[in-house]
């Protein structure tokens, strides 16, 4: 089969806004108008963007909690297995199973697994690293990490990007462009 | 190096007007330009000069460690009874220095202290490098580091033996390795948006590609920020008890033994306070020259320096309280060995000069920061910070060597003197630290530009909201 028929480039409408307040407002209006696949691109986190995009609760806290619990359980059972069950050492007849001496490592491993799940869980959730994304096609998008505020909307298959662009311009975008995924 | 339009901020003479965290009229673009300037411009003569000195230090580390591996631990000054000396003194010293980074980045974040923003990246990098230096000492003290993994980690070897988890030294292994890992992840997570800015503001395709690889395709997505903020906050939340636990566990190495001068319950809080004390002093020792040479005076303002001096004063007082309590308990307990260590051996013994130097640097010197003049004088604070570094090193020397060299049996008493190998490794780690730090200052923005932009935005919004009756804020 040929490349031409199998590859359907994803299309995005990318609108730039003068400041974060206008971006927030336009995001809410676009969403209320029924546009899907919306995302904002800002140099720093903008207060209120989650509500404007209609995002649910963040998933990271649950992942971290599970990671930390797993770390604590792993540590405690590891120490128990090694020092009580598999290779007990009798030092001055102290108890083999001595919880106070097991707490430091239990705590450390809870932090270690909690922290690594905060980090790697984040990249799993965000599907990063993702070196290529169609929004990078726009040259002006370089400013998204420096000082500019963008709103992107993925155009659904069969949709007309021009319609989305018109809406975005109505809601206050200073510069609207349509970008298309390039075939690699 | 960097001379943006911000050099001369109007100095207010009104003492009631709060000092600024960001000076001059800044925009996101001007901050981007001025904070990344030192990454894009070629390093000057000063950087090369320091880098040369740092490399000489690194060479000393190479020589010292090679000789240690060739000769064995006998090349060091350690003897019986002083079985722990420079290796553990320097280990504790470096770990303590690292603690300021975590304190600034994590605890001040949780306490919503806005002034942390300009200095956290810098201090976190310091944490990483300090912990690397610290790790070298216990590793080489094992004598055969290539076997260390078998002894220290729960590795399923054919011998079927496991580490003794009731030993604080094994706790140390877990605490310090966890500390290093979490600090690295936290630092890198905070760096990602800045790496994306570097990618996007780079002029050459090679630099764009290199920073692009590390930026991992970050595109400032709102959906990403929503999870990212939680991840960053939770890492800070985990780091906070972690940093307290690390130095607590380090102090357990001493406190769980029965040696006079070590066997005390005040050690964990007193070690943590000392760690923050020395760490802030180290941040200040580097920050004062760095803000000058990297052109960061508009974001690392006098207010930041003054706040750091206040923390040094506060933690210095805690450390002094620790000293007073140790001596009081030594007298009040009526234990003759404790009394002898604190009132005879340390104050009048062969290492008395180091003890009194410690008292001078850690108790007397920070008191200068009661005066606002001293807190805002660059030269005074820099010298005081260097003296605190010296003082905290002396404290570790006093704790470790004086307690060991005169314990219960007079027939065991022995003096201690470091050899050239000890000195070479110690100075070598300072070289390693400086090398890594200078490379960091060259390749990575020393100030978290994304967070400074966010802070500027927040402050502008507040000022705006005050006049416009905050209509945009829901």
């Amino acid at each position: 089969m040929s490349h031409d028929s199998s590859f359907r480039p994803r299309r995005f409408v990318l609108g730039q806004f003068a400041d974060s307040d206008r971006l927030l407002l336009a995001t809410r209006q676009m969403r209320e108008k029924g546009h899907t696949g919306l995302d904002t691109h800002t140099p720093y986190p903008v207060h209120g963007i989650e509500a404007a995009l209609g995002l649910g609760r963040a998933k990271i806290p649950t992942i971290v909690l599970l990671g930390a619990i797993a770390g604590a359980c792993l540590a405690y059972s590891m120490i128990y297995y090694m020092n009580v069950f598999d290779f007990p050492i009798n030092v001055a007849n102290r108890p083999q199973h001595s919880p106070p001496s097991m707490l430091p490592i239990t705590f450390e491993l809870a932090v270690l697994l909690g922290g690594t799940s905060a980090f790697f869980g984040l990249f799993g959730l965000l599907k990063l690293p993702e070196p290529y994304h169609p929004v990078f096609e726009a040259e002006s998008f370089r400013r998204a990490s420096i000082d500019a505020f963008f709103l992107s909307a993925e155009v659904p298959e069969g949709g007309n990007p021009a319609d989305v662009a018109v809406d975005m311009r109505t809601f206050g975008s200073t510069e609207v462009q349509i970008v298309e995924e390039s075939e690699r | 190096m960097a001379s943006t339009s911000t050099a001369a901020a109007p100095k207010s003479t009104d003492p009631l007007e709060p000092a600024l965290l960001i000076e001059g009229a800044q925009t996101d673009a001007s901050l981007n330009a001025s904070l990344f300037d030192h990454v894009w411009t070629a390093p000057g003569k000063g950087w090369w000069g320091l880098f040369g000195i740092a490399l000489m230090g690194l060479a000393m580390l190479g020589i010292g460690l090679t000789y240690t591996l060739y000769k064995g631990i006998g090349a060091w000054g350690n003897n019986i009874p002083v079985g722990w000396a420079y290796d553990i003194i320097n280990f504790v010293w470096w770990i303590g220095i690292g603690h300021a980074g975590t304190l600034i980045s994590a605890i001040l974040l949780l306490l919503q202290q806005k002034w942390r923003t300009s200095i956290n990246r810098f201090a976190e990098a310091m944490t990483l490098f300090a912990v690397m230096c610290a790790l070298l000492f216990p590793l080489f003290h094992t004598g055969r580091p290539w076997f260390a993994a078998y002894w220290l980690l729960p590795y399923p070897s054919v011998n079927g033996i496991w580490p003794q988890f009731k030993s604080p030294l094994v706790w140390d292994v877990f605490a310090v390795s966890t500390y290093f890992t979490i600090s690295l992840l936290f630092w890198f997570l905070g760096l990602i948006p800045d790496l994306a800015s570097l990618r996007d503001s780079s002029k050459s395709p090679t630099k764009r590609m290199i920073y692009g690889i590390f930026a991992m395709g970050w595109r400032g997505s709102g959906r990403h920020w929503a999870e990212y903020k939680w991840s960053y906050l939770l890492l800070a939340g985990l780091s906070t008890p972690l940093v307290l636990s690390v130095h607590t566990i380090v102090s357990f190495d001493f406190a769980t033994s029965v040696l006079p001068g070590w066997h005390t319950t005040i050690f964990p809080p007193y070690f943590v306070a000392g760690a923050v004390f020395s760490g802030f002093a180290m941040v200040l020792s580097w920050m004062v020259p760095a803000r000058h040479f990297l052109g960061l005076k508009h974001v690392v303002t006098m207010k930041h320096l003054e706040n750091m001096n206040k923390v040094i004063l506060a933690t210095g007082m805690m450390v002094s309280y620790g000293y007073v309590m140790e001596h009081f308990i030594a007298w009040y307990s009526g234990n003759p060995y404790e009394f002898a260590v604190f009132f005879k051996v340390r104050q009048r013994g062969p290492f008395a000069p180091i003890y009194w130097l410690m008292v001078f640097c850690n108790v007397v010197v920070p008191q200068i920061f009661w005066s606002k003049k001293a807190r805002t004088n660059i030269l005074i604070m820099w010298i005081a910070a260097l003296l605190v570094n010296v003082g905290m090193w002396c404290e570790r020397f006093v704790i470790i060597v004086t307690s060991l060299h005169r314990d219960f049996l007079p027939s065991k008493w022995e003096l201690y003197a470091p050899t050239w190998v000890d000195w070479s490794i110690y100075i070598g780690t300072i070289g390693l630290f400086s090398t890594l730090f200078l490379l960091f200052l060259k390749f990575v923005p020393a100030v978290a530009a994304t967070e400074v932009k966010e802070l500027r935005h927040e402050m502008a919004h507040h000022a705006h909201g005050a006049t416009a009756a905050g209509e945009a804020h829901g």
Side-chain angles (χ1 to χ4, degrees), chain A residues 38-40 83 86 108 118 145, chain B residues 162 165 200 221-223 231 245:
Chain A
L38 292 175
D39 204 350
T40 55
N83 274 186
D86 195 46
E108 296 302 333
S145 67
Chain B
W162 299 110
F165 285 104
D200 292 341
S221 152
R223 293 167 191 276
S231 181
S245 82

Side-chain angles (χ1 to χ4, degrees), chain A residues 20-21 37-50 53 55 57-61 64 68 78-79 81-83 86-87 89 91 94-98 100-102 104-105 107-116 118-120 122-123 125-133 135-136 141-149, chain B residues 28-29 32 154-155 159-167 170-171 174-179 181-182 184-186 188-189 192-193 196-203 208 212-213 215-231 234-235 238-239 241-242 245-246 249 252 450-451 453-454 456-457 461 464 472-473:
Chain A
S20 59
D21 288 340
L38 292 175
D39 204 350
T40 55
H41 304 274
T42 54
Y44 43 82
V46 172
H47 186 71
I49 209 77
E50 295 93 336
L53 281 169
L55 300 181
R57 275 174 62 137
K59 296 189 186 72
I60 280 287
V64 174
M78 172 183 81
I79 300 170
Y81 168 75
M82 290 173 184
N83 274 186
D86 195 46
F87 194 72
I89 308 168
V91 181
R94 289 189 180 87
Q96 295 298 350
H97 177 216
S98 147
S101 74
M102 292 158 81
I105 292 180
F107 172 77
E108 296 302 333
L109 280 195
V111 170
L112 182 65
L113 264 70
T116 44
F119 186 83
F120 294 104
L122 180 74
F123 289 109
L125 273 181
L126 309 189
K127 300 195 178 63
L128 292 179
E130 186 185 5
Y132 175 78
H133 191 276
V135 291
F136 288 130
F141 190 75
R142 289 180 93 165
R143 283 182 60 200
S145 67
I146 299 170
D147 64 343
F149 301 88
Chain B
D28 289 345
N32 207 75
Y155 169 82
N159 295 332
I161 55 173
W162 299 110
Q164 168 60 291
F165 285 104
K166 293 185 184 74
S167 160
V170 176
W171 305 346
F174 281 84
V176 176
S177 52
T178 299
Y179 186 46
T181 314
I182 297 295
L184 181 67
L185 297 183
F186 191 48
F188 186 66
L189 192 66
I192 288 173
S197 313
L198 279 172
R199 171 196 68 199
D200 292 341
S201 51
S202 58
K203 302 274 184 305
R208 182 168 161 80
I213 289 170
M216 308 176 92
W218 181 260
R219 51 182 189 275
S221 152
R223 293 167 191 276
H224 290 183
W225 279 122
E227 299 282 356
Y228 174 94
K229 281 195 291 187
W230 270 106
S231 181
L234 287 172
L235 269 173
L238 286 169
S239 302
L242 178 65
S245 82
V246 170
I249 290 175
F252 282 165
T450 304
E451 291 182 35
K453 286 183 208 165
E454 192 185 354
R456 188 202 66 84
H457 175 76
H461 238 246
H464 180 72
H473 262 290

Side-chain angles (χ1 to χ4, degrees), chain B residues 26-84:
Chain B
Q26 301 288 346
T27 63
D28 289 345
S30 78
L31 283 173
N32 207 75
S34 61
L35 297 183
F36 291 165
D37 188 63
H38 68 91
V39 179
W40 298 134
T41 49
K45 278 197 188 114
W47 188 90
W48 281 111
L50 284 175
F51 194 63
I53 297 171
L55 284 182
M56 283 195 265
L58 194 60
M60 287 181 76
L61 183 69
I63 293 167
L65 292 182
T66 311
Y67 191 75
T68 304
L69 290 179
Y70 170 71
K71 268 285 197 195
I73 300 302
W76 297 357
N78 300 18
N79 55 31
I80 300 297
V82 189
W84 272 3

Side-chain angles (χ1 to χ4, degrees), chain A residues 155-169:
Chain A
V155 183
E157 252 177 73
N160 185 4
D163 296 345
V164 185
V166 165
D167 276 347
M168 219 178 264
R169 208 167 277 124

Side-chain angles (χ1 to χ4, degrees), chain B residues 361-380:
Chain B
C361 292
N362 292 353
V363 181
V364 180
V365 167
Q367 305 306 324
I368 197 171
F369 289 136
W370 287 108
S371 135
K372 191 176 171 82
K373 273 217 181 80
R375 283 202 305 271
T376 50
N377 183 308
I378 296 283
L379 188 66
I380 291 180

Side-chain angles (χ1 to χ4, degrees), chain B residues 82 259-261 327 330 336-356 397-408 410 413-415:
Chain B
V82 189
L259 208 64
H327 288 76
Y337 299 103
E338 289 280 339
F339 188 86
V341 161
F342 281 99
F343 291 93
K344 290 182 189 152
V345 175
R346 288 192 181 170
Q347 292 180 5
R348 280 168 284 159
F351 299 111
I354 297 177
Y355 173 87
W356 292 110
F397 185 94
V398 166
I399 291 175
I400 290 157
V401 173
T402 59
S403 280
L404 281 171
H405 92 294
R406 293 279 148 89
D407 64 358
F408 304 101
W413 292 1
E414 191 69 65
L415 280 179

